[in-house]
Amino acid sequence: MIDRQDGANDPLLAPLNEQQRAVVCAPQGLARLVLAGPGSGKTRTLVHRVAQLMRTGVPAERILLVTFTNKAAREMMARCEQLCGSSAWSLMGGTFHGLAAKILRQYGSALGLDPEFRILDRADTEDQLRAAVNDLGLDLRRDGLPRVRTLCRMFSASVQRELDLGATIDLRWPQYHHHLGLIQTIGARFVERKQEAGVLDFDDLLVGWSLLADPPASAEPAVHQTSQALRERFVEVLVDEYQDTNAIQGRIADHMASIGNGLTVVGDDCQGIYGFRGADAQNLVGFQQRFDAAERLLLTANYRSTPEILSLANLSIAHNRTQLEKMLEPERTSLGLPPWVVQCKDREEEARFVVTRARELQASGIPWSEIAVLYRSHALSTEVQVELAKQSIPFVVRSGVRFFEQAHVKDVLAFGRATMGDEFALRRVLLLYPGVGPVSVRGALERASVDDRFGQMAKTASGISRRGLEQAADVLAGMIERSADGPSAQLAFLVDHYRQAFVQRFDDSNQRSEDLEELIRFAQGFETMNQLFADLPVVDQTTRNGDSGPALVLSSIHQSKGLEWKRVFVLSLVEGHLPHAASFAEVDGVDEERRLFYVAITRAADELYLTYAQRAGHGRVQTPSRFLSELMVDTEPPFTMVRPSFS
Ligand code: ATP
Ligand code: MG
């Protein structure tokens, strides 16, 4: 064991302070909670603890590191590699969903799962649910039932909060209380359908893992044995951003460590911003009650932000009703820059200010990638995107539609899935062709299943629809012929056809073409179509744009968690946007929005700009956010108000 004090020349301990070293060198086999504010090195400490465990002889594959995004997992593993060498790549690192998929592929046979199971993305999940509704002869609108998307949310909320469906509906959707029986019937059919098709949705991944981590007493002996083997495998479980775990994730983490393995969780209750998705503050607040011997360690130095930014953050979060006691002192010295509140006339001026200022910052030597523009909802970024495009500034968007959920990407992937016998996908493909409607698709699908896979499809149709079906059949057959060349070659063949036939119809066809090229490149990492589809949904946690060239970052605040930039702009600090109007009626709603504001401002290292427009479209007056006005009472405000200087 390395002495905590003696780390001066040790690459693993030297870049850490005393409190961080205490976490890194803490003994194995215990539960501990590291509770600390933003920028205090929680993530850094977690990575160094992983490296330290490896250095003391724990094999990488026996360490389970849970991160908030796949991107964070990759970065953390890359850092471990720097510290410990390439063995770090056998670490089990990823998001709860990504890890659940890996674990279920390895250990799921005890639950009757085929290791090749396919994961449904959100849209596929909705398709399955829609099909379940059809199987039962129901008509959602006619029968006064919730829409498919709402039904999905209900089932999902019940899983994530570990509440039965009735209680979930009474809590969040009381207006559907009288339909509980029917909704349960739909749920049962939905589950059956997924089982018949051998597919899992995102919630099933967590349920599957929880069955292995914490099997019910009534489970088969094989499940208990597998559970034991799985839990014995991991010497220590480490969880970043623990405050945003929901009930089922919390239970999984607890039970993965229930046989005397170590459990190190790091988090900050003030940064809990996923309550609306079922994150359960109790996981963190009740940690020490659940693990009596658990140590609580604090990190109290903030390395990220200037004292001015930190002071604004601390004053703001003090307005929340509940929070755990934490100290956060600036480690950095002042740069003499106050946080700016920029009052603009309208949204256009706000966008013009942000982009002009960003350009000045870049001209003064700040790289584009060190400048971020954050906002509460994706739609607020439109004006800034337009202005950036006008001024030819490179930018990436880390909010909005995910890469794999874009229509053109989904179309192309549907061809791939169709070649593997997926009927939903085949339907999507066929409907793309002009003249092909639901009736000809039904005829074609009957043919496709009885005769050779695609050759006979067109036989039932005539005229323009026949031409469409023939084209589809030719392309699908062409793809199958190329199976031996791998998925990238198959997709390249397809994209050629797709681009000619469909892409020109979109007004942003260049962007879409580039996306498809990107998809072909992505597919190079896989040997078969099957492999590609197996892990696709969990790979897509962040949009692909993130990794290319230096570019200014546009991001929702939710997506900015855990990240930092030298200069940060936060847009649209007006009532209704931040705090968001939907939060006003929710219990803890405005407090959660204030935590969101806290997350946003603590992303900034050197300089922070909070902007708002006095008027929205059609001259509607907007009220500045209470998160600003509440700081102006009594004391000197912790920011300086300005108007854009060019107007
Ligand atoms: P968040 O709550 O936002 O996720 P965090 O607590 O995880 O923040 P990190 O991202 O780990 O904080 O660290 C914040 C910044 O401080 C990073 O740039 C990190 O490299 C730096 N840092 C952390 N600890 C130290 C240290 N002991 N010495 C110097 N820099 C440090
Ligand atoms: Mg962090």
Side-chain angles (χ1 to χ4, degrees):
M1 197 83 194
I2 305 258
D3 180 3
R4 287 180 187 191
Q5 312 300 321
D6 171 33
N9 296 318
D10 177 350
L12 214 154
L13 297 180
L16 302 175
N17 67 29
E18 274 309 305
Q19 293 171 324
Q20 295 170 332
R21 284 183 203 180
V23 177
V24 167
C25 300
Q28 287 174 28
L30 298 175
R32 71 185 57 80
L33 165 67
V34 180
L35 181 66
S40 57
K42 293 184 296 300
T43 302
R44 179 189 278 213
T45 302
L46 214 55
V47 170
H48 283 243
R49 175 153 178 88
V50 168
Q52 172 71 359
L53 288 169
M54 287 173 59
R55 187 161 75 172
T56 52
V58 180
E61 62 276 10
R62 300 193 60 190
I63 301 174
L64 187 66
L65 172 65
V66 189
T67 58
F68 203 72
T69 60
N70 285 317
K71 185 160 169 276
R74 281 196 299 276
E75 285 170 9
M76 289 165 85
M77 274 147 88
R79 179 79 186 124
C80 285
E81 188 188 2
Q82 279 174 359
L83 292 167
C84 300
S86 58
S87 55
W89 286 100
S90 29
L91 233 156
M92 279 287 269
T95 60
F96 272 103
H97 289 103
L99 289 166
K102 280 188 204 159
I103 285 172
L104 290 175
R105 289 194 200 291
Q106 282 177 36
Y107 296 86
S109 57
L111 300 172
L113 286 177
D114 178 336
E116 298 267 302
F117 66 79
R118 183 160 82 75
I119 304 167
L120 302 179
D121 67 15
R122 280 177 221 290
D124 294 335
T125 306
E126 286 178 14
D127 285 345
Q128 283 287 352
L129 187 59
R130 201 168 288 117
V133 170
N134 288 340
D135 291 348
L136 295 166
L138 293 168
D139 180 325
L140 296 179
R141 194 174 299 178
R142 183 197 63 206
D143 300 330
L145 286 157
R147 291 180 312 159
V148 165
R149 180 155 298 177
T150 311
L151 284 169
C152 277
R153 291 210 180 114
M154 290 174 170
F155 296 134
S156 193
S158 153
V159 167
Q160 295 181 358
R161 291 166 199 253
E162 307 222 285
L163 271 182
D164 70 44
L165 192 60
T168 307
I169 290 177
D170 286 352
L171 190 72
R172 305 253 324 263
W173 296 275
Q175 69 275 32
Y176 290 113
H177 173 85
H178 60 291
H179 275 319
L180 176 61
L182 260 185
I183 297 174
Q184 277 167 331
T185 310
I186 297 173
R189 179 65 198 134
F190 175 47
V191 169
E192 242 169 48
R193 267 201 150 260
K194 289 184 289 183
Q195 281 169 353
E196 285 161 13
V199 295
L200 303 186
D201 65 19
F202 285 142
D203 297 323
D204 298 330
L205 290 172
L206 296 183
V207 170
W209 188 2
S210 77
L211 285 172
L212 291 180
D214 178 24
S218 59
E220 303 277 325
V223 175
H224 285 284
Q225 278 157 18
T226 306
S227 167
Q228 184 78 11
L230 172 67
R231 288 179 299 157
E232 277 171 1
R233 166 172 167 181
F234 294 108
V235 173
E236 178 140 327
V237 179
L238 304 102
V239 188
D240 197 7
E241 305 278 2
Y242 186 68
Q243 74 281 355
D244 280 321
T245 52
N246 56 35
I248 190 168
Q249 291 168 337
R251 185 163 60 89
I252 290 171
D254 283 4
H255 284 270
M256 287 303 289
S258 59
I259 50 172
N261 304 335
L263 175 62
T264 300
V265 303
V266 309
D268 175 6
D269 54 316
C270 292
Q271 294 186 70
I273 54 175
Y274 279 92
F276 73 105
R277 262 212 228 146
D280 188 349
Q282 224 20 61
N283 286 341
L284 190 145
V285 177
F287 191 81
Q288 286 178 296
Q289 271 118 51
R290 297 200 306 287
F291 295 91
D292 338 317
E295 261 188 296
R296 180 195 283 199
L297 295 129
L298 301 175
L299 307 177
T300 54
N302 174 294
Y303 289 90
R304 180 179 294 145
S305 310
T306 61
E308 290 83 355
I309 292 170
L310 206 56
S311 147
L312 168 61
N314 287 339
L315 286 170
S316 173
I317 202 66
H319 283 84
N320 266 14
R321 282 164 300 182
T322 52
Q323 52 191 291
L324 299 175
E325 188 68 34
K326 284 181 306 279
M327 269 237 314
L328 196 56
E329 291 292 341
E331 183 65 28
R332 297 186 50 190
T333 51
S334 170
L335 298 173
L337 293 168
W340 307 102
V341 170
V342 188
Q343 188 187 64
C344 307
K345 285 201 299 275
D346 51 28
R347 296 271 301 275
E348 282 68 31
E349 189 182 73
E350 186 180 9
R352 204 145 53 86
F353 165 76
V354 168
V355 175
T356 310
R357 186 70 194 124
R359 187 186 264 299
E360 288 165 8
L361 292 170
Q362 194 260 351
S364 75
I366 314 279
W368 285 127
S369 56
E370 281 294 345
I371 305 174
V373 179
L374 309 181
Y375 36 81
R376 173 70 177 83
S377 11
H378 180 62
L380 296 173
S381 70
T382 321
E383 283 84 359
V384 173
Q385 290 197 42
V386 170
E387 195 60 36
L388 287 165
K390 264 197 226 159
Q391 302 201 27
S392 310
I393 292 176
F395 68 97
V396 295
V397 183
R398 298 231 185 98
S399 59
V401 183
R402 294 196 166 150
F403 181 65
F404 290 103
E405 284 178 9
Q406 302 177 94
H408 52 297
V409 176
K410 292 209 70 158
D411 286 348
V412 166
L413 291 175
F415 279 90
R417 289 211 160 101
T419 63
M420 289 161 35
D422 181 327
E423 200 169 287
F424 275 116
L426 183 55
R427 184 171 297 150
R428 180 179 181 119
V429 164
L430 299 179
L431 287 171
L432 285 173
Y433 289 86
V436 178
V439 177
S440 28
V441 167
R442 199 168 324 124
L445 288 181
E446 277 159 18
R447 283 287 182 151
S449 51
V450 285
D451 297 315
D452 74 304
R453 262 160 98 200
F454 304 113
Q456 304 291 318
M457 272 189 330
K459 294 261 164 74
T460 50
S462 56
I464 176 161
S465 105
R466 179 171 187 137
R467 211 159 43 242
L469 292 173
E470 278 169 354
Q471 279 181 16
D474 282 349
V475 179
L476 291 166
M479 288 178 74
I480 291 175
E481 274 168 31
R482 287 166 178 76
S483 303
D485 303 337
S488 183
Q490 287 174 285
L491 289 181
F493 164 76
L494 162 66
V495 163
D496 233 17
H497 162 77
Y498 180 83
R499 210 173 350 224
Q500 284 166 27
F502 305 110
V503 168
Q504 73 262 32
R505 288 211 309 259
F506 296 111
D507 18 330
D508 53 348
S509 55
N510 274 345
Q511 178 59 43
R512 288 179 196 251
S513 266
E514 279 171 28
D515 288 340
L516 297 177
E517 289 302 321
E518 179 78 27
L519 187 61
I520 294 171
R521 263 197 302 282
F522 169 78
Q524 284 167 353
F526 300 86
E527 276 169 29
T528 65
M529 232 7 137
N530 226 340
Q531 284 176 5
L532 186 149
F533 284 112
D535 286 330
L536 197 56
V538 283
V539 166
D540 183 30
Q541 304 263 340
T542 41
T543 44
R544 117 236 97 117
N545 300 322
D547 297 329
S548 53
L552 179 147
V553 175
L554 295 186
S555 173
S556 66
I557 302 173
H558 283 101
Q559 290 282 326
S560 75
K561 250 165 86 83
L563 305 177
E564 61 190 21
W565 295 271
K566 285 197 161 50
R567 301 292 193 275
V568 169
F569 295 84
V570 186
L571 297 181
S572 216
L573 276 153
V574 297
E575 286 289 299
H577 290 169
L578 186 60
H580 194 275
S583 71
F584 298 156
E586 301 267 324
V587 186
D588 190 46
V590 171
D591 280 5
E592 177 147 316
E593 295 290 304
R594 198 178 280 101
R595 292 193 292 270
L596 204 52
F597 179 59
Y598 182 72
V599 167
I601 58 191
T602 54
R603 299 310 95 203
D606 296 351
E607 206 176 1
L608 174 66
Y609 297 85
L610 307 170
T611 67
Y612 73 89
Q614 291 171 300
R615 286 178 191 279
H618 311 296
R620 198 167 43 81
V621 173
Q622 306 197 106
T623 313
S625 170
R626 71 189 71 185
F627 300 153
L628 300 178
S629 47
E630 68 196 9
L631 296 174
M632 296 166 77
V633 185
D634 298 337
T635 52
E636 184 79 353
F639 48 72
T640 300
M641 293 271 273
V642 290
R643 283 177 182 275
S645 51
F646 54 76
S647 56

